[in-house]
Coordinates of all heavy atoms in Angstrom, one line a residue:
M806 N 25.1 -15.8 -3.0 CA 25.4 -14.5 -3.4 C 24.5 -13.5 -2.7 O 23.3 -13.6 -2.5 CB 25.1 -14.4 -4.9 CG 25.5 -13.1 -5.5 SD 25.3 -13.2 -7.3 CE 25.3 -11.5 -7.7
E807 N 25.1 -12.4 -2.2 CA 24.4 -11.4 -1.3 C 23.6 -10.4 -2.2 O 24.2 -9.9 -3.2 CB 25.4 -10.7 -0.4 CG 24.7 -9.8 0.5 CD 25.7 -9.2 1.5 OE1 26.5 -10.0 2.0 OE2 25.7 -8.0 1.7
D808 N 22.4 -10.2 -1.9 CA 21.6 -9.2 -2.6 C 22.1 -7.8 -2.4 O 22.6 -7.5 -1.3 CB 20.1 -9.2 -2.1 CG 19.3 -10.3 -2.8 OD1 19.8 -11.0 -3.7 OD2 18.2 -10.5 -2.3
T809 N 22.0 -7.0 -3.4 CA 22.3 -5.5 -3.2 C 21.1 -4.8 -2.5 O 20.0 -5.4 -2.5 CB 22.6 -4.9 -4.5 OG1 21.4 -4.9 -5.3 CG2 23.7 -5.6 -5.3
T810 N 21.4 -3.7 -2.0 CA 20.3 -2.9 -1.4 C 19.2 -2.6 -2.4 O 18.0 -2.8 -2.0 CB 20.9 -1.6 -0.8 OG1 21.9 -1.9 0.1 CG2 19.8 -0.7 -0.2
F811 N 19.6 -2.3 -3.6 CA 18.5 -2.0 -4.6 C 17.7 -3.2 -4.8 O 16.4 -3.1 -4.9 CB 19.2 -1.6 -5.9 CG 18.3 -1.4 -7.1 CD1 17.5 -0.3 -7.2 CD2 18.1 -2.5 -8.0 CE1 16.6 -0.2 -8.3 CE2 17.2 -2.3 -9.0 CZ 16.5 -1.2 -9.2
K812 N 18.2 -4.4 -4.9 CA 17.5 -5.6 -5.2 C 16.5 -5.9 -4.0 O 15.4 -6.3 -4.2 CB 18.4 -6.8 -5.4 CG 17.7 -8.1 -5.8 CD 18.4 -8.8 -6.9 CE 17.7 -10.1 -7.3 NZ 16.7 -9.9 -8.3
K813 N 17.0 -5.7 -2.8 CA 16.1 -5.9 -1.6 C 14.9 -5.0 -1.6 O 13.8 -5.4 -1.3 CB 17.0 -5.7 -0.3 CG 17.9 -6.9 -0.1 CD 18.7 -6.6 1.2 CE 19.8 -7.7 1.4 NZ 20.6 -7.4 2.6
I814 N 15.2 -3.7 -1.9 CA 14.1 -2.7 -2.0 C 13.1 -3.1 -3.1 O 11.9 -3.1 -2.9 CB 14.7 -1.3 -2.2 CG1 15.4 -0.8 -1.0 CG2 13.6 -0.3 -2.6 CD1 16.3 0.4 -1.2
D815 N 13.6 -3.4 -4.3 CA 12.8 -3.8 -5.4 C 11.9 -5.1 -5.1 O 10.7 -5.1 -5.3 CB 13.6 -4.1 -6.6 CG 12.8 -4.3 -7.9 OD1 11.9 -3.5 -8.2 OD2 13.1 -5.4 -8.5
N816 N 12.5 -6.0 -4.4 CA 11.8 -7.2 -4.0 C 10.7 -6.9 -3.0 O 9.6 -7.4 -3.1 CB 12.8 -8.3 -3.4 CG 13.6 -9.0 -4.5 OD1 13.3 -8.9 -5.7 ND2 14.7 -9.5 -4.0
Q817 N 11.0 -6.0 -2.1 CA 9.9 -5.7 -1.1 C 8.8 -4.9 -1.7 O 7.6 -5.1 -1.4 CB 10.6 -4.9 0.1 CG 9.6 -4.6 1.2 CD 9.1 -5.8 1.9 OE1 9.8 -6.6 2.4 NE2 7.8 -6.0 1.9
L818 N 9.1 -4.0 -2.6 CA 8.1 -3.2 -3.3 C 7.2 -4.1 -4.2 O 6.0 -4.0 -4.1 CB 8.7 -2.2 -4.2 CG 9.3 -0.9 -3.6 CD1 10.1 -0.1 -4.6 CD2 8.2 -0.1 -2.9
R819 N 7.8 -5.1 -4.8 CA 7.0 -6.0 -5.6 C 6.2 -6.9 -4.8 O 5.0 -7.2 -5.1 CB 7.9 -6.8 -6.6 CG 8.6 -5.9 -7.7 CD 9.4 -6.6 -8.7 NE 10.3 -7.6 -8.2 CZ 10.5 -8.8 -8.8 NH1 9.8 -9.1 -9.9 NH2 11.3 -9.6 -8.3
L820 N 6.7 -7.3 -3.6 CA 5.9 -8.1 -2.7 C 4.8 -7.3 -2.1 O 3.6 -7.8 -2.1 CB 6.8 -8.7 -1.6 CG 6.0 -9.4 -0.4 CD1 5.3 -10.7 -1.0 CD2 7.0 -9.8 0.7
N821 N 5.0 -6.1 -1.7 CA 4.0 -5.2 -1.2 C 2.9 -5.0 -2.2 O 1.7 -5.1 -1.9 CB 4.6 -3.8 -0.9 CG 5.2 -3.8 0.5 OD1 5.3 -4.8 1.2 ND2 5.8 -2.7 0.8
R822 N 3.2 -4.8 -3.5 CA 2.2 -4.6 -4.5 C 1.4 -5.9 -4.7 O 0.2 -5.8 -4.8 CB 2.8 -4.2 -5.9 CG 1.8 -3.9 -6.9 CD 2.3 -3.9 -8.3 NE 1.2 -3.7 -9.3 CZ 0.5 -4.7 -9.8 NH1 0.6 -5.9 -9.4 NH2 -0.5 -4.4 -10.6
R823 N 2.1 -7.0 -4.8 CA 1.4 -8.3 -5.0 C 0.4 -8.5 -3.8 O -0.8 -8.9 -4.0 CB 2.4 -9.4 -5.1 CG 1.8 -10.7 -5.5 CD 2.9 -11.7 -5.9 NE 4.0 -11.9 -5.0 CZ 5.3 -11.5 -5.2 NH1 5.6 -10.9 -6.3 NH2 6.2 -11.7 -4.2
L824 N 0.8 -8.2 -2.6 CA -0.1 -8.4 -1.4 C -1.3 -7.5 -1.5 O -2.4 -7.9 -1.2 CB 0.7 -8.3 -0.1 CG 1.7 -9.4 0.2 CD1 2.6 -9.0 1.3 CD2 1.0 -10.7 0.4
L825 N -1.0 -6.2 -1.7 CA -2.1 -5.2 -1.8 C -3.1 -5.6 -2.9 O -4.3 -5.5 -2.7 CB -1.5 -3.8 -2.1 CG -0.7 -3.2 -0.9 CD1 -0.1 -1.9 -1.4 CD2 -1.6 -2.9 0.3
K826 N -2.6 -6.0 -4.1 CA -3.4 -6.4 -5.2 C -4.3 -7.6 -4.8 O -5.5 -7.7 -5.1 CB -2.6 -6.7 -6.4 CG -3.3 -6.6 -7.7 CD -3.6 -5.2 -8.1 CE -4.1 -5.1 -9.5 NZ -4.8 -3.8 -9.7
N827 N -3.7 -8.6 -4.1 CA -4.3 -9.8 -3.7 C -5.5 -9.5 -2.8 O -6.6 -10.1 -2.9 CB -3.3 -10.8 -3.1 CG -4.0 -12.1 -2.7 OD1 -4.6 -12.7 -3.5 ND2 -3.8 -12.5 -1.5
F828 N -5.2 -8.6 -1.8 CA -6.3 -8.3 -0.8 C -7.2 -7.2 -1.2 O -8.1 -6.9 -0.5 CB -5.6 -7.9 0.5 CG -5.0 -9.1 1.2 CD1 -3.6 -9.2 1.3 CD2 -5.8 -10.0 1.8 CE1 -3.0 -10.3 2.0 CE2 -5.2 -11.1 2.5 CZ -3.8 -11.2 2.6
N829 N -7.1 -6.7 -2.4 CA -7.9 -5.6 -2.9 C -8.5 -6.0 -4.3 O -8.4 -5.3 -5.2 CB -7.1 -4.3 -3.1 CG -8.0 -3.2 -3.4 OD1 -9.1 -3.1 -2.9 ND2 -7.5 -2.2 -4.2
Q830 N -9.2 -7.1 -4.3 CA -9.8 -7.6 -5.5 C -11.0 -6.7 -6.0 O -11.2 -6.6 -7.2 CB -10.4 -9.0 -5.3 CG -9.4 -10.0 -5.0 CD -8.5 -10.4 -6.1 OE1 -8.9 -10.5 -7.2 NE2 -7.2 -10.5 -5.8
A831 N -11.6 -6.0 -5.1 CA -12.8 -5.1 -5.5 C -12.4 -3.7 -5.9 O -13.3 -3.0 -6.4 CB -13.8 -5.1 -4.4
G832 N -11.2 -3.3 -5.8 CA -10.8 -1.9 -6.2 C -10.7 -1.0 -5.0 O -10.1 0.0 -5.0
K833 N -11.5 -1.4 -3.9 CA -11.4 -0.7 -2.6 C -11.9 -1.7 -1.5 O -12.9 -2.3 -1.7 CB -12.3 0.6 -2.6 CG -12.2 1.3 -1.3 CD -13.0 2.6 -1.3 CE -12.7 3.3 0.1 NZ -13.5 4.6 0.2
S834 N -11.0 -1.8 -0.5 CA -11.3 -2.8 0.6 C -10.6 -2.3 1.8 O -9.8 -1.4 1.8 CB -11.0 -4.2 0.2 OG -9.6 -4.2 -0.2
T835 N -10.9 -3.0 2.9 CA -10.3 -2.7 4.2 C -9.8 -4.1 4.8 O -10.5 -5.1 4.7 CB -11.3 -2.1 5.2 OG1 -11.9 -0.9 4.6 CG2 -10.7 -1.7 6.5
I836 N -8.6 -4.0 5.4 CA -8.0 -5.2 6.0 C -7.3 -4.8 7.2 O -6.8 -3.7 7.4 CB -7.0 -5.9 4.9 CG1 -6.5 -7.2 5.5 CG2 -5.9 -4.9 4.6 CD1 -5.7 -8.0 4.4
R837 N -7.2 -5.7 8.2 CA -6.4 -5.5 9.4 C -4.9 -5.4 9.0 O -4.4 -6.2 8.3 CB -6.6 -6.6 10.4 CG -8.0 -6.6 11.1 CD -8.1 -7.6 12.2 NE -7.3 -8.8 12.2 CZ -7.6 -9.9 11.6 NH1 -8.8 -10.1 11.0 NH2 -6.8 -10.9 11.6
K838 N -4.3 -4.4 9.6 CA -2.9 -4.2 9.3 C -2.0 -5.4 9.7 O -1.2 -5.8 8.9 CB -2.4 -3.0 10.2 CG -0.9 -2.7 10.0 CD -0.5 -1.5 10.8 CE 1.0 -1.2 10.7 NZ 1.4 0.0 11.5
E839 N -2.3 -6.0 10.8 CA -1.6 -7.2 11.2 C -1.6 -8.3 10.2 O -0.6 -9.1 10.0 CB -2.0 -7.7 12.6 CG -3.4 -8.2 12.6 CD -3.9 -8.5 14.1 OE1 -3.8 -7.6 14.9 OE2 -4.4 -9.6 14.3
K840 N -2.7 -8.5 9.5 CA -2.9 -9.6 8.5 C -1.9 -9.3 7.4 O -1.3 -10.3 6.9 CB -4.3 -9.6 8.0 CG -4.6 -10.8 7.1 CD -6.0 -11.0 6.9 CE -6.3 -12.2 6.0 NZ -7.7 -12.5 5.8
L841 N -1.8 -8.1 6.9 CA -0.9 -7.8 5.8 C 0.6 -7.9 6.3 O 1.4 -8.5 5.5 CB -1.1 -6.3 5.3 CG -2.0 -6.1 4.1 CD1 -2.1 -4.7 3.8 CD2 -1.5 -6.9 2.9
I842 N 0.9 -7.5 7.5 CA 2.2 -7.6 8.0 C 2.7 -9.0 8.1 O 3.8 -9.4 7.7 CB 2.4 -6.9 9.4 CG1 2.0 -5.4 9.3 CG2 3.8 -7.1 10.0 CD1 2.9 -4.5 8.5
E843 N 1.8 -9.9 8.6 CA 2.0 -11.3 8.7 C 2.3 -11.9 7.4 O 3.1 -12.9 7.3 CB 0.9 -12.0 9.4 CG 0.8 -11.7 10.9 CD -0.5 -12.2 11.5 OE1 -1.3 -12.9 10.8 OE2 -0.7 -12.0 12.7
A844 N 1.7 -11.4 6.3 CA 1.9 -12.0 5.0 C 3.3 -11.5 4.4 O 3.6 -11.9 3.3 CB 0.8 -11.6 4.1
G845 N 3.9 -10.5 5.0 CA 5.2 -10.1 4.5 C 5.2 -8.6 4.1 O 6.2 -8.1 3.6
F846 N 4.1 -7.9 4.2 CA 4.0 -6.5 3.8 C 4.8 -5.6 4.7 O 4.8 -5.8 6.0 CB 2.5 -6.1 3.9 CG 2.3 -4.7 3.5 CD1 2.2 -4.4 2.1 CD2 2.0 -3.7 4.4 CE1 2.0 -3.1 1.7 CE2 1.8 -2.4 4.0 CZ 1.7 -2.1 2.6
N847 N 5.5 -4.7 4.2 CA 6.3 -3.7 4.9 C 5.8 -2.3 4.5 O 6.2 -1.8 3.4 CB 7.8 -3.9 4.7 CG 8.6 -3.0 5.6 OD1 8.1 -1.9 6.1 ND2 9.8 -3.4 5.9
P848 N 5.1 -1.6 5.4 CA 4.5 -0.3 5.0 C 5.6 0.8 4.8 O 5.3 1.9 4.3 CB 3.6 0.1 6.1 CG 4.1 -0.7 7.3 CD 4.7 -2.0 6.7
K849 N 6.8 0.6 5.2 CA 7.9 1.6 5.0 C 8.4 1.6 3.6 O 9.1 2.5 3.2 CB 9.1 1.2 5.9 CG 8.7 1.4 7.4 CD 9.9 1.0 8.2 CE 9.6 1.2 9.7 NZ 10.7 0.8 10.6
F850 N 8.0 0.7 2.7 CA 8.4 0.6 1.3 C 7.2 1.0 0.4 O 6.2 0.2 0.4 CB 8.9 -0.7 1.0 CG 10.2 -1.0 1.6 CD1 10.3 -1.5 2.9 CD2 11.4 -0.8 0.9 CE1 11.5 -1.8 3.5 CE2 12.6 -1.1 1.5 CZ 12.7 -1.5 2.9
F851 N 7.3 2.1 -0.3 CA 6.2 2.5 -1.2 C 6.9 3.4 -2.3 O 8.0 3.9 -2.1 CB 5.1 3.3 -0.4 CG 5.6 4.5 0.4 CD1 5.7 5.8 -0.2 CD2 6.1 4.4 1.7 CE1 6.2 6.9 0.5 CE2 6.5 5.5 2.4 CZ 6.6 6.7 1.8
T852 N 6.1 3.5 -3.4 CA 6.7 4.2 -4.5 C 6.3 5.7 -4.5 O 7.1 6.5 -5.0 CB 6.3 3.6 -5.9 OG1 4.8 3.6 -5.9 CG2 6.8 2.2 -6.0
H853 N 5.2 6.1 -4.1 CA 4.7 7.5 -4.0 C 3.5 7.6 -3.1 O 3.1 6.6 -2.6 CB 4.4 8.0 -5.4 CG 3.2 7.3 -6.1 ND1 3.3 6.0 -6.6 CD2 2.0 7.7 -6.3 CE1 2.1 5.7 -7.1 NE2 1.3 6.7 -6.9
Y854 N 3.1 8.8 -2.9 CA 1.9 9.0 -2.0 C 1.0 10.0 -2.7 O 1.4 10.8 -3.6 CB 2.3 9.5 -0.6 CG 3.0 10.8 -0.5 CD1 2.2 12.0 -0.4 CD2 4.4 11.0 -0.7 CE1 2.8 13.2 -0.3 CE2 5.0 12.2 -0.6 CZ 4.2 13.3 -0.4 OH 4.8 14.6 -0.4
W855 N -0.2 10.1 -2.2 CA -1.3 11.0 -2.7 C -2.1 11.5 -1.5 O -2.5 10.7 -0.6 CB -2.2 10.3 -3.7 CG -3.3 11.1 -4.2 CD1 -3.3 12.2 -5.0 CD2 -4.7 11.0 -3.8 NE1 -4.5 12.7 -5.2 CE2 -5.4 12.0 -4.4 CE3 -5.4 10.2 -2.9 CZ2 -6.8 12.2 -4.3 CZ3 -6.7 10.3 -2.8 CH2 -7.4 11.3 -3.4
K856 N -2.3 12.8 -1.4 CA -3.1 13.3 -0.3 C -4.4 13.8 -0.9 O -4.5 14.5 -1.8 CB -2.3 14.5 0.3 CG -3.0 15.1 1.5 CD -2.3 16.5 1.9 CE -1.4 16.3 3.0 NZ -0.8 17.5 3.5
N857 N -5.5 13.3 -0.2 CA -6.8 13.7 -0.7 C -7.2 15.0 -0.1 O -6.5 15.7 0.7 CB -7.9 12.6 -0.4 CG -8.1 12.4 1.1 OD1 -7.7 13.2 2.0 ND2 -8.8 11.3 1.5
Q858 N -8.4 15.5 -0.4 CA -8.9 16.8 0.1 C -9.1 16.9 1.6 O -9.1 17.9 2.2 CB -10.2 17.2 -0.6 CG -10.0 17.5 -2.1 CD -11.3 17.8 -2.8 OE1 -12.4 17.4 -2.4 NE2 -11.2 18.4 -4.0
K859 N -9.3 15.7 2.2 CA -9.4 15.7 3.7 C -8.1 15.7 4.4 O -8.0 15.7 5.6 CB -10.2 14.4 4.1 CG -11.6 14.3 3.6 CD -12.2 13.0 4.1 CE -13.6 12.7 3.5 NZ -14.1 11.4 3.9
G860 N -7.0 15.6 3.6 CA -5.7 15.6 4.2 C -5.1 14.3 4.5 O -4.1 14.1 5.1
Q861 N -5.9 13.2 4.2 CA -5.4 11.9 4.4 C -4.4 11.5 3.3 O -4.5 11.8 2.2 CB -6.6 10.9 4.3 CG -7.7 11.1 5.3 CD -8.9 10.3 5.0 OE1 -9.5 10.4 3.9 NE2 -9.4 9.6 6.0
V862 N -3.3 10.8 3.8 CA -2.2 10.4 2.9 C -2.3 8.9 2.6 O -2.2 8.1 3.5 CB -0.9 10.8 3.5 CG1 0.2 10.4 2.6 CG2 -0.8 12.3 3.8
Y863 N -2.5 8.6 1.3 CA -2.4 7.3 0.8 C -1.0 7.0 0.3 O -0.5 7.8 -0.5 CB -3.4 7.1 -0.3 CG -4.9 7.1 0.1 CD1 -5.6 8.2 0.3 CD2 -5.6 5.9 0.2 CE1 -6.9 8.2 0.7 CE2 -6.9 5.8 0.5 CZ -7.6 7.0 0.8 OH -8.9 7.0 1.1
F864 N -0.5 5.9 0.7 CA 0.9 5.5 0.2 C 0.6 4.4 -0.8 O -0.2 3.5 -0.7 CB 1.7 4.9 1.4 CG 2.0 6.0 2.4 CD1 1.2 6.2 3.5 CD2 3.1 6.8 2.2 CE1 1.5 7.2 4.4 CE2 3.4 7.8 3.1 CZ 2.6 8.0 4.2
F865 N 1.4 4.5 -1.9 CA 1.2 3.6 -3.1 C 2.4 2.7 -3.3 O 3.5 3.2 -3.2 CB 0.9 4.3 -4.3 CG -0.6 4.8 -4.4 CD1 -1.0 5.9 -3.7 CD2 -1.5 4.1 -5.1 CE1 -2.3 6.4 -3.7 CE2 -2.8 4.5 -5.1 CZ -3.2 5.6 -4.4
C866 N 2.1 1.5 -3.7 CA 3.1 0.6 -4.3 C 2.7 0.4 -5.8 O 1.8 -0.4 -6.1 CB 3.2 -0.8 -3.6 SG 3.8 -0.6 -1.9
Y867 N 3.3 1.3 -6.6 CA 2.9 1.4 -8.0 C 1.5 1.8 -8.1 O 1.2 2.9 -7.9 CB 3.3 0.1 -8.7 CG 4.7 -0.3 -8.6 CD1 5.1 -1.3 -7.7 CD2 5.7 0.4 -9.2 CE1 6.5 -1.6 -7.5 CE2 7.1 0.1 -9.0 CZ 7.4 -0.9 -8.2 OH 8.8 -1.2 -8.0
D868 N 0.6 0.9 -8.5 CA -0.8 1.3 -8.8 C -1.8 0.9 -7.7 O -3.0 1.0 -7.9 CB -1.2 0.6 -10.1 CG -1.1 -0.9 -10.1 OD1 -0.4 -1.4 -9.3 OD2 -1.8 -1.5 -10.9
V869 N -1.4 0.4 -6.5 CA -2.3 0.0 -5.4 C -1.8 0.8 -4.2 O -0.6 0.7 -3.8 CB -2.3 -1.5 -5.2 CG1 -3.4 -1.9 -4.2 CG2 -2.4 -2.3 -6.5
G870 N -2.8 1.4 -3.5 CA -2.4 2.2 -2.3 C -3.1 1.7 -1.1 O -4.0 0.9 -1.1
F871 N -2.6 2.3 0.1 CA -3.1 2.0 1.4 C -3.1 3.2 2.2 O -2.3 4.1 2.1 CB -2.3 0.8 2.0 CG -0.9 1.1 2.3 CD1 -0.5 1.5 3.6 CD2 0.1 1.0 1.3 CE1 0.9 1.8 3.8 CE2 1.4 1.3 1.5 CZ 1.8 1.7 2.8
L872 N -4.1 3.3 3.1 CA -4.3 4.4 4.1 C -4.5 3.7 5.4 O -5.4 2.9 5.6 CB -5.5 5.2 3.7 CG -6.0 6.2 4.8 CD1 -5.0 7.4 4.9 CD2 -7.4 6.8 4.4
E873 N -3.7 4.1 6.4 CA -3.9 3.5 7.7 C -5.0 4.3 8.5 O -5.0 5.5 8.5 CB -2.6 3.7 8.5 CG -2.6 3.0 9.8 CD -1.3 2.9 10.5 OE1 -0.3 2.4 10.0 OE2 -1.2 3.5 11.7
I874 N -5.9 3.5 9.0 CA -7.0 4.1 9.8 C -7.1 3.3 11.1 O -6.6 2.2 11.3 CB -8.3 4.0 9.1 CG1 -8.7 2.6 8.8 CG2 -8.3 4.9 7.8 CD1 -10.2 2.4 8.3
S875 N -7.8 3.9 12.1 CA -8.1 3.2 13.4 C -9.6 3.0 13.4 O -10.4 4.0 13.3 CB -7.6 4.0 14.5 OG -7.9 3.4 15.8
E876 N -10.0 1.8 13.6 CA -11.4 1.5 13.6 C -11.7 0.5 14.7 O -11.2 -0.6 14.7 CB -11.8 0.9 12.2 CG -13.3 0.7 12.0 CD -13.6 0.2 10.6 OE1 -13.6 -1.0 10.4 OE2 -13.7 1.1 9.7
Q877 N -12.5 0.9 15.7 CA -12.9 0.0 16.8 C -11.6 -0.5 17.5 O -11.4 -1.7 17.8 CB -13.7 -1.2 16.4 CG -15.1 -0.8 15.8 CD -15.8 -1.9 15.2 OE1 -15.3 -3.0 15.1 NE2 -17.1 -1.7 14.9
D878 N -10.7 0.5 17.8 CA -9.4 0.2 18.5 C -8.5 -0.8 17.7 O -7.7 -1.4 18.4 CB -9.7 -0.3 19.9 CG -10.3 0.8 20.8 OD1 -10.0 2.0 20.6 OD2 -11.1 0.4 21.7
K879 N -8.7 -1.0 16.5 CA -7.9 -1.8 15.6 C -7.3 -1.0 14.5 O -8.0 -0.1 13.9 CB -8.6 -3.0 15.1 CG -9.2 -3.9 16.1 CD -9.4 -5.3 15.6 CE -10.1 -6.2 16.6 NZ -9.2 -6.8 17.5
I880 N -6.0 -1.2 14.2 CA -5.4 -0.5 13.1 C -5.7 -1.3 11.8 O -5.4 -2.5 11.7 CB -3.9 -0.4 13.3 CG1 -3.5 0.3 14.6 CG2 -3.2 0.3 12.1 CD1 -4.0 1.7 14.7
K881 N -6.2 -0.6 10.8 CA -6.6 -1.2 9.6 C -6.0 -0.4 8.4 O -5.6 0.7 8.6 CB -8.1 -1.3 9.4 CG -8.7 -2.2 10.5 CD -10.2 -2.3 10.3 CE -10.8 -3.2 11.3 NZ -12.3 -3.4 11.1
Y882 N -6.0 -1.0 7.2 CA -5.6 -0.3 6.0 C -6.8 -0.3 5.1 O -7.5 -1.3 4.9 CB -4.5 -1.0 5.3 CG -3.1 -0.9 5.9 CD1 -2.3 -1.9 6.0 CD2 -2.7 0.4 6.4 CE1 -1.0 -1.8 6.6 CE2 -1.4 0.5 7.0 CZ -0.6 -0.6 7.0 OH 0.7 -0.4 7.6
V883 N -7.1 0.9 4.5 CA -8.0 1.0 3.4 C -7.2 0.8 2.2 O -6.2 1.5 2.0 CB -8.7 2.3 3.4 CG1 -9.6 2.5 2.2 CG2 -9.5 2.5 4.7
L884 N -7.5 -0.1 1.3 CA -6.8 -0.4 0.1 C -7.5 0.1 -1.1 O -8.7 0.0 -1.2 CB -6.6 -1.9 -0.1 CG -6.0 -2.7 1.1 CD1 -5.8 -4.2 0.8 CD2 -4.7 -2.1 1.6
V885 N -6.8 0.8 -2.0 CA -7.5 1.4 -3.2 C -6.6 1.2 -4.4 O -5.4 1.1 -4.3 CB -7.7 2.9 -3.0 CG1 -8.7 3.2 -1.9 CG2 -6.4 3.7 -2.8
D886 N -7.2 1.1 -5.5 CA -6.5 1.1 -6.8 C -6.3 2.6 -7.2 O -7.1 3.4 -7.0 CB -7.3 0.4 -7.9 CG -7.4 -1.1 -7.8 OD1 -6.5 -1.6 -7.1 OD2 -8.2 -1.7 -8.3
Y887 N -5.2 2.8 -7.9 CA -4.9 4.2 -8.4 C -5.8 4.6 -9.5 O -6.1 3.8 -10.4 CB -3.4 4.2 -8.9 CG -2.9 5.7 -9.0 CD1 -2.4 6.3 -7.9 CD2 -3.0 6.3 -10.2 CE1 -2.0 7.6 -8.0 CE2 -2.6 7.6 -10.3 CZ -2.1 8.3 -9.2 OH -1.7 9.6 -9.3
Q888 N -6.4 5.8 -9.4 CA -7.3 6.3 -10.4 C -6.7 7.5 -11.0 O -6.8 8.6 -10.4 CB -8.7 6.5 -9.8 CG -9.3 5.3 -9.1 CD -10.5 5.7 -8.4 OE1 -11.2 6.6 -8.7 NE2 -10.8 4.9 -7.4
E889 N -6.2 7.4 -12.2 CA -5.4 8.5 -12.8 C -6.3 9.7 -13.0 O -5.9 10.9 -12.8 CB -4.8 8.1 -14.1 CG -3.9 9.1 -14.7 CD -3.2 8.6 -15.9 OE1 -2.7 7.4 -15.9 OE2 -3.2 9.3 -17.0
N890 N -7.6 9.5 -13.4 CA -8.5 10.7 -13.7 C -8.8 11.4 -12.4 O -9.2 12.6 -12.5 CB -9.8 10.2 -14.4 CG -10.5 9.2 -13.6 OD1 -10.0 8.5 -12.7 ND2 -11.8 9.1 -13.9
Y891 N -8.7 10.8 -11.2 CA -9.0 11.4 -10.0 C -7.8 11.9 -9.2 O -7.8 12.9 -8.6 CB -9.8 10.4 -9.1 CG -10.3 10.9 -7.8 CD1 -11.2 11.9 -7.7 CD2 -9.8 10.3 -6.6 CE1 -11.7 12.4 -6.5 CE2 -10.3 10.8 -5.4 CZ -11.2 11.8 -5.3 OH -11.6 12.3 -4.1
M892 N -6.7 11.1 -9.3 CA -5.5 11.4 -8.5 C -4.4 12.0 -9.4 O -3.4 12.3 -8.8 CB -5.0 10.0 -7.9 CG -6.0 9.4 -7.0 SD -5.5 7.8 -6.5 CE -6.8 7.3 -5.4
G893 N -4.6 12.1 -10.7 CA -3.5 12.6 -11.5 C -2.6 11.6 -12.0 O -2.7 10.4 -11.7
E894 N -1.7 12.0 -12.9 CA -0.7 11.0 -13.4 C 0.3 10.6 -12.4 O 0.7 11.3 -11.5 CB 0.0 11.6 -14.6 CG -0.8 11.7 -15.9 CD 0.0 12.1 -17.1 OE1 1.1 11.7 -17.2 OE2 -0.6 12.9 -17.9
I895 N 0.7 9.3 -12.5 CA 1.8 8.8 -11.6 C 3.1 9.4 -12.0 O 3.4 9.5 -13.2 CB 1.8 7.2 -11.7 CG1 0.5 6.7 -11.1 CG2 3.0 6.7 -10.9 CD1 0.4 5.2 -11.2

């Protein structure tokens, strides 16, 4: 049976959240982008975004977010847990 577009999107969002949560045990961490991609993460799928005072845009999969940065010529993601008191309501 062929998946519908909605089901494919939902599955990718849930996988993205699970991967972000798994690699972000401490509440804030940094990981190489390629490592997440290899695990099945797709950064094009997210539920919402939040822009901080510096103008950086964090993309979220439900309650876990990521920010793409370049560090020592490597693309990395800063992973963060959503903080309602700081970022507002979802």
Side-chain angles (χ1 to χ4, degrees):
M806 185 173 163
E807 186 174 314
D808 278 351
T809 64
T810 301
F811 175 80
K812 184 138 179 87
K813 288 178 184 178
I814 292 169
D815 187 51
N816 287 341
Q817 185 63 56
L818 284 171
R819 291 185 318 137
L820 175 61
N821 280 0
R822 184 197 178 273
R823 191 167 49 250
L824 291 169
L825 290 172
K826 201 74 170 160
N827 182 54
F828 287 109
N829 188 34
Q830 298 290 318
K833 183 175 183 182
S834 57
T835 305
I836 186 172
R837 287 189 332 269
K838 178 180 179 178
E839 65 189 52
K840 187 171 183 176
L841 263 178
I842 301 294
E843 288 170 2
F846 182 78
N847 186 335
K849 294 180 182 178
F850 290 83
F851 56 91
T852 55
H853 64 286
Y854 66 90
W855 175 75
K856 186 189 259 187
N857 68 11
Q858 292 177 340
K859 296 178 186 176
Q861 298 168 307
V862 178
Y863 287 80
F864 295 94
F865 282 82
C866 291
Y867 305 105
D868 60 338
V869 189
F871 62 99
L872 168 69
E873 186 173 301
I874 61 169
S875 180
E876 192 175 88
Q877 299 172 350
D878 295 327
K879 297 204 184 279
I880 303 297
K881 297 182 178 184
Y882 286 139
V883 176
L884 309 181
V885 296
D886 286 341
Y887 196 85
Q888 300 173 27
E889 189 172 312
N890 59 337
Y891 182 63
M892 299 172 178
E894 285 189 38
I895 294 178

